[in-house]
Amino acid sequence: MNRIEYTHGDAAWLEIIQPLWEKLKRHHEQGSRHFAQIYRQFTFEQRLQKFRDSGASAFRVELARDSGDMRLAGYCVSMVRPNDTGEIDSLYVDEPYRGAGIADTLMRRGLDWLKASGARYIEINVAAGNESVLSFYARYGFYPRHTTLAEKQVPPAAPKS
């Protein structure tokens, strides 16, 4: 594996992460006991719309790229909402790059930016079925605070364009 290079951008960079976001979506779909169909139907365009509708005052997209072929190795999306709540919204490292400390670097960079941007409270939401990541987040002082239950229903399919 080549050296990893880290860069960052704002919300305009969200589209860059689509290939890895699709892999994360499949991971959630496979791990979900009750909501696989919802993940299956959820499109990247819908995800972008959720970012647009979030009311966030600032976004940061951290990227990790393989310097050999500039392939995207991982990403972290962080945002600050108007109430000074920060969120690590999405973090993913592609399978061939796991175990090399990339997730730690992305996480640190995301948290540093959130704190520098004035976030007074930071949260992370973990999808049911992805509990294996809880020990990773605990290393940064994040622990389960509550569990939100949702009705199992399948939303209508997105319109085809």
Side-chain angles (χ1 to χ4, degrees):
M1 184 175 356
N2 293 308
R3 193 173 77 79
I4 299 298
E5 296 177 356
Y6 296 91
T7 57
H8 66 271
D10 60 15
W13 283 34
L14 285 168
E15 293 191 18
I16 296 170
I17 69 169
Q18 182 173 359
L20 292 186
W21 180 87
E22 296 287 350
K23 290 181 178 186
L24 178 60
K25 180 182 97 154
R26 281 191 298 279
H27 172 77
H28 288 316
E29 179 185 331
Q30 292 166 355
S32 177
R33 286 184 47 209
H34 303 288
F35 299 100
Q37 184 67 24
I38 291 172
Y39 287 112
R40 194 172 300 115
Q41 291 181 356
F42 193 47
T43 67
F44 189 67
E45 183 54 43
Q46 289 170 316
R47 184 65 187 110
L48 290 177
Q49 190 60 48
K50 283 187 173 242
F51 280 126
R52 290 182 205 114
D53 295 344
S54 70
S57 57
F59 277 98
R60 176 121 160 173
V61 179
E62 300 285 347
L63 299 178
R65 289 192 182 274
D66 187 318
S67 64
D69 58 12
M70 295 310 292
R71 184 171 36 164
L72 192 58
Y75 73 86
C76 178
V77 176
S78 306
M79 64 178 157
V80 179
R81 293 192 292 273
N83 61 0
D84 295 331
T85 297
E87 181 176 356
I88 298 291
D89 181 272
S90 187
L91 175 67
Y92 185 81
V93 174
D94 205 6
E95 186 78 35
Y97 297 96
R98 293 185 186 159
I102 296 169
D104 285 307
T105 300
L106 291 169
M107 182 72 172
R108 277 194 306 275
R109 289 171 63 106
L111 290 173
D112 289 347
W113 175 79
L114 285 169
K115 291 173 185 170
S117 297
R120 295 180 305 156
Y121 173 78
I122 300 172
E123 61 186 20
I124 301 167
N125 290 299
V126 175
N130 198 28
E131 290 83 3
S132 64
V133 300
L134 294 177
S135 62
F136 171 80
Y137 291 125
R139 293 194 320 239
Y140 295 93
F142 291 90
Y143 301 97
R145 182 173 175 193
H146 57 82
T147 300
T148 302
L149 303 179
E151 180 182 16
K152 183 180 176 184
Q153 59 184 2
V154 178
K160 298 196 190 260
S161 29

